Short mmCIF file of all heavy atoms in Angstrom, two decimals:
data_model
loop_
_atom_site.label_atom_id
_atom_site.label_comp_id
_atom_site.label_asym_id
_atom_site.label_seq_id
_atom_site.Cartn_x
_atom_site.Cartn_y
_atom_site.Cartn_z
N PRO A 30 70.80 41.18 0.25
CA PRO A 30 69.83 41.62 1.27
C PRO A 30 69.22 40.47 2.06
O PRO A 30 68.81 40.64 3.21
CB PRO A 30 68.76 42.36 0.45
CG PRO A 30 69.45 42.80 -0.78
CD PRO A 30 70.45 41.72 -1.08
N ALA A 31 69.16 39.28 1.44
CA ALA A 31 68.62 38.11 2.14
C ALA A 31 69.64 37.49 3.08
O ALA A 31 69.31 36.58 3.85
CB ALA A 31 68.17 37.06 1.12
N GLY A 32 70.88 37.97 3.01
CA GLY A 32 71.93 37.46 3.88
C GLY A 32 72.38 36.06 3.54
O GLY A 32 72.89 35.34 4.40
N LEU A 33 72.21 35.66 2.26
CA LEU A 33 72.59 34.31 1.86
C LEU A 33 74.01 34.28 1.31
O LEU A 33 74.50 35.25 0.72
CB LEU A 33 71.61 33.80 0.80
CG LEU A 33 70.16 33.63 1.27
CD1 LEU A 33 69.27 33.20 0.12
CD2 LEU A 33 70.06 32.65 2.43
N GLU A 34 74.65 33.14 1.49
CA GLU A 34 76.02 32.97 1.03
C GLU A 34 76.04 32.65 -0.47
O GLU A 34 75.15 31.96 -0.98
CB GLU A 34 76.64 31.80 1.80
CG GLU A 34 78.14 31.63 1.59
CD GLU A 34 78.69 30.42 2.35
OE1 GLU A 34 78.04 29.97 3.32
OE2 GLU A 34 79.75 29.91 1.93
N TYR A 35 77.02 33.19 -1.17
CA TYR A 35 77.15 32.88 -2.60
C TYR A 35 78.61 32.96 -3.01
O TYR A 35 79.42 33.66 -2.38
CB TYR A 35 76.32 33.84 -3.46
CG TYR A 35 76.90 35.24 -3.56
CD1 TYR A 35 77.73 35.61 -4.62
CD2 TYR A 35 76.64 36.20 -2.57
CE1 TYR A 35 78.28 36.88 -4.70
CE2 TYR A 35 77.18 37.47 -2.64
CZ TYR A 35 77.99 37.80 -3.72
OH TYR A 35 78.54 39.07 -3.79
N THR A 36 78.96 32.21 -4.06
CA THR A 36 80.28 32.33 -4.67
C THR A 36 80.09 32.35 -6.18
O THR A 36 79.19 31.68 -6.71
CB THR A 36 81.20 31.15 -4.30
OG1 THR A 36 80.54 29.91 -4.60
CG2 THR A 36 81.57 31.16 -2.84
N GLU A 37 80.92 33.12 -6.86
CA GLU A 37 80.92 33.16 -8.33
C GLU A 37 82.18 32.47 -8.82
O GLU A 37 83.29 32.86 -8.46
CB GLU A 37 80.86 34.61 -8.83
CG GLU A 37 79.54 35.31 -8.51
CD GLU A 37 79.46 36.70 -9.12
OE1 GLU A 37 79.94 37.64 -8.46
OE2 GLU A 37 78.93 36.84 -10.24
N VAL A 38 82.01 31.42 -9.63
CA VAL A 38 83.14 30.61 -10.08
C VAL A 38 82.98 30.34 -11.58
O VAL A 38 81.92 30.58 -12.16
CB VAL A 38 83.22 29.27 -9.30
CG1 VAL A 38 83.44 29.52 -7.81
CG2 VAL A 38 81.96 28.44 -9.51
N THR A 39 84.05 29.81 -12.18
CA THR A 39 83.98 29.49 -13.61
C THR A 39 84.07 28.00 -13.89
O THR A 39 83.76 27.55 -14.99
CB THR A 39 85.12 30.20 -14.38
OG1 THR A 39 86.37 29.81 -13.80
CG2 THR A 39 84.97 31.72 -14.32
N SER A 40 84.48 27.19 -12.90
CA SER A 40 84.69 25.76 -13.13
C SER A 40 83.57 24.92 -12.54
O SER A 40 83.29 24.99 -11.33
CB SER A 40 86.02 25.32 -12.53
OG SER A 40 86.14 23.91 -12.56
N LEU A 41 82.93 24.10 -13.38
CA LEU A 41 81.93 23.14 -12.89
C LEU A 41 82.62 21.97 -12.18
O LEU A 41 82.21 21.56 -11.09
CB LEU A 41 81.09 22.63 -14.06
CG LEU A 41 80.08 21.51 -13.75
CD1 LEU A 41 79.10 21.94 -12.67
CD2 LEU A 41 79.34 21.09 -15.02
N GLU A 42 83.70 21.44 -12.79
CA GLU A 42 84.39 20.27 -12.22
C GLU A 42 84.86 20.52 -10.79
O GLU A 42 84.75 19.65 -9.93
CB GLU A 42 85.61 19.89 -13.07
CG GLU A 42 85.29 19.31 -14.42
CD GLU A 42 85.25 20.39 -15.51
OE1 GLU A 42 84.86 21.54 -15.20
OE2 GLU A 42 85.59 20.07 -16.64
N GLU A 43 85.38 21.71 -10.52
CA GLU A 43 85.95 22.00 -9.21
C GLU A 43 84.89 22.21 -8.13
O GLU A 43 85.20 22.22 -6.94
CB GLU A 43 86.85 23.24 -9.29
CG GLU A 43 88.13 23.00 -10.08
CD GLU A 43 88.94 24.27 -10.26
OE1 GLU A 43 88.64 25.28 -9.56
OE2 GLU A 43 89.86 24.27 -11.11
N ASN A 44 83.65 22.39 -8.54
CA ASN A 44 82.60 22.74 -7.57
C ASN A 44 81.44 21.76 -7.49
O ASN A 44 80.64 21.82 -6.56
CB ASN A 44 82.06 24.14 -7.90
CG ASN A 44 83.10 25.22 -7.69
OD1 ASN A 44 83.31 25.67 -6.58
ND2 ASN A 44 83.77 25.62 -8.76
N ILE A 45 81.34 20.82 -8.44
CA ILE A 45 80.19 19.93 -8.49
C ILE A 45 80.07 19.06 -7.23
O ILE A 45 78.97 18.72 -6.79
CB ILE A 45 80.20 19.06 -9.77
CG1 ILE A 45 78.85 18.37 -9.97
CG2 ILE A 45 81.34 18.04 -9.74
CD1 ILE A 45 78.70 17.69 -11.32
N GLY A 46 81.20 18.72 -6.62
CA GLY A 46 81.19 17.82 -5.46
C GLY A 46 80.54 18.39 -4.22
O GLY A 46 80.20 17.63 -3.31
N GLN A 47 80.34 19.70 -4.15
CA GLN A 47 79.76 20.31 -2.95
C GLN A 47 78.26 20.58 -3.10
O GLN A 47 77.61 21.08 -2.17
CB GLN A 47 80.47 21.64 -2.63
CG GLN A 47 80.33 22.68 -3.74
CD GLN A 47 81.01 23.99 -3.42
OE1 GLN A 47 80.68 24.63 -2.42
NE2 GLN A 47 81.97 24.39 -4.25
N LEU A 48 77.68 20.23 -4.25
CA LEU A 48 76.31 20.63 -4.55
C LEU A 48 75.27 19.60 -4.12
O LEU A 48 75.46 18.39 -4.30
CB LEU A 48 76.15 20.89 -6.06
CG LEU A 48 77.12 21.89 -6.70
CD1 LEU A 48 76.85 21.98 -8.19
CD2 LEU A 48 77.02 23.25 -6.04
N ASP A 49 74.14 20.09 -3.61
CA ASP A 49 72.96 19.26 -3.38
C ASP A 49 72.07 19.24 -4.62
O ASP A 49 71.38 18.27 -4.90
CB ASP A 49 72.13 19.80 -2.20
CG ASP A 49 72.92 19.81 -0.91
OD1 ASP A 49 73.37 18.73 -0.50
OD2 ASP A 49 73.09 20.90 -0.32
N ILE A 50 72.11 20.36 -5.35
CA ILE A 50 71.30 20.53 -6.56
C ILE A 50 72.17 21.21 -7.61
O ILE A 50 72.88 22.18 -7.31
CB ILE A 50 70.06 21.41 -6.30
CG1 ILE A 50 69.17 20.78 -5.22
CG2 ILE A 50 69.25 21.63 -7.58
CD1 ILE A 50 68.18 21.77 -4.60
N LEU A 51 72.11 20.72 -8.83
CA LEU A 51 72.79 21.37 -9.96
C LEU A 51 71.73 21.78 -10.96
O LEU A 51 70.99 20.94 -11.49
CB LEU A 51 73.81 20.44 -10.62
CG LEU A 51 74.45 20.97 -11.91
CD1 LEU A 51 75.19 22.29 -11.67
CD2 LEU A 51 75.41 19.93 -12.51
N TYR A 52 71.63 23.08 -11.21
CA TYR A 52 70.64 23.62 -12.14
C TYR A 52 71.38 24.04 -13.41
O TYR A 52 72.06 25.06 -13.45
CB TYR A 52 69.94 24.83 -11.50
CG TYR A 52 68.67 25.28 -12.19
CD1 TYR A 52 67.43 24.81 -11.76
CD2 TYR A 52 68.70 26.18 -13.24
CE1 TYR A 52 66.25 25.23 -12.36
CE2 TYR A 52 67.53 26.60 -13.85
CZ TYR A 52 66.31 26.13 -13.40
OH TYR A 52 65.14 26.55 -14.01
N MET A 53 71.28 23.20 -14.44
CA MET A 53 71.96 23.47 -15.70
C MET A 53 71.09 24.34 -16.60
O MET A 53 69.85 24.22 -16.60
CB MET A 53 72.28 22.16 -16.44
CG MET A 53 73.29 21.28 -15.76
SD MET A 53 74.96 21.97 -15.71
CE MET A 53 75.39 22.03 -17.46
N THR A 54 71.71 25.21 -17.39
CA THR A 54 70.97 26.01 -18.37
C THR A 54 71.73 26.00 -19.69
O THR A 54 72.95 25.80 -19.72
CB THR A 54 70.82 27.48 -17.93
OG1 THR A 54 72.11 28.12 -17.90
CG2 THR A 54 70.20 27.58 -16.54
N ARG A 55 70.99 26.21 -20.77
CA ARG A 55 71.64 26.30 -22.08
C ARG A 55 72.09 27.74 -22.33
O ARG A 55 71.54 28.70 -21.77
CB ARG A 55 70.69 25.84 -23.19
CG ARG A 55 69.56 26.78 -23.48
CD ARG A 55 68.56 26.20 -24.50
NE ARG A 55 67.39 27.05 -24.56
CZ ARG A 55 67.19 28.02 -25.44
NH1 ARG A 55 68.10 28.27 -26.37
NH2 ARG A 55 66.10 28.75 -25.41
N VAL A 56 73.11 27.88 -23.16
CA VAL A 56 73.50 29.20 -23.65
C VAL A 56 72.51 29.54 -24.76
O VAL A 56 72.39 28.82 -25.75
CB VAL A 56 74.95 29.20 -24.16
CG1 VAL A 56 75.30 30.55 -24.77
CG2 VAL A 56 75.90 28.88 -23.00
N GLN A 57 71.79 30.64 -24.60
CA GLN A 57 70.63 30.93 -25.44
C GLN A 57 71.01 31.75 -26.67
O GLN A 57 71.27 32.94 -26.58
CB GLN A 57 69.57 31.69 -24.63
CG GLN A 57 69.11 30.93 -23.41
CD GLN A 57 68.16 31.75 -22.57
OE1 GLN A 57 66.97 31.80 -22.84
NE2 GLN A 57 68.70 32.40 -21.56
N ARG A 58 71.03 31.10 -27.79
CA ARG A 58 71.40 31.75 -29.05
C ARG A 58 70.53 32.98 -29.32
O ARG A 58 71.01 34.02 -29.79
CB ARG A 58 71.24 30.74 -30.21
CG ARG A 58 71.51 31.32 -31.58
CD ARG A 58 71.33 30.27 -32.68
NE ARG A 58 72.52 30.13 -33.47
CZ ARG A 58 72.96 29.00 -33.97
NH1 ARG A 58 72.32 27.88 -33.74
NH2 ARG A 58 74.06 28.97 -34.70
N GLU A 59 69.22 32.89 -28.99
CA GLU A 59 68.29 33.96 -29.33
C GLU A 59 68.51 35.24 -28.54
O GLU A 59 67.97 36.29 -28.88
CB GLU A 59 66.84 33.49 -29.16
CG GLU A 59 66.43 33.15 -27.73
CD GLU A 59 66.64 31.68 -27.36
OE1 GLU A 59 67.57 31.05 -27.91
OE2 GLU A 59 65.88 31.17 -26.53
#
């Protein structure tokens, strides 16, 4: 609805070079 561009991918290595910001998160056991 905001009209923003997005892509859903599985590889960090293939996409890290295009990023201005990388927001990492942990896989949450709980």
Side-chain angles (χ1 to χ4, degrees):
L33 296 177
E34 189 182 338
Y35 73 95
T36 53
E37 293 185 273
V38 299
T39 57
S40 171
L41 174 58
E42 290 93 327
E43 290 174 14
N44 293 279
I45 193 170
Q47 62 179 301
L48 305 178
D49 299 301
I50 300 162
L51 173 59
Y52 195 94
M53 293 293 295
T54 66
R55 71 186 170 95
V56 175
Q57 302 175 83
R58 177 180 237 144
E59 65 269 31

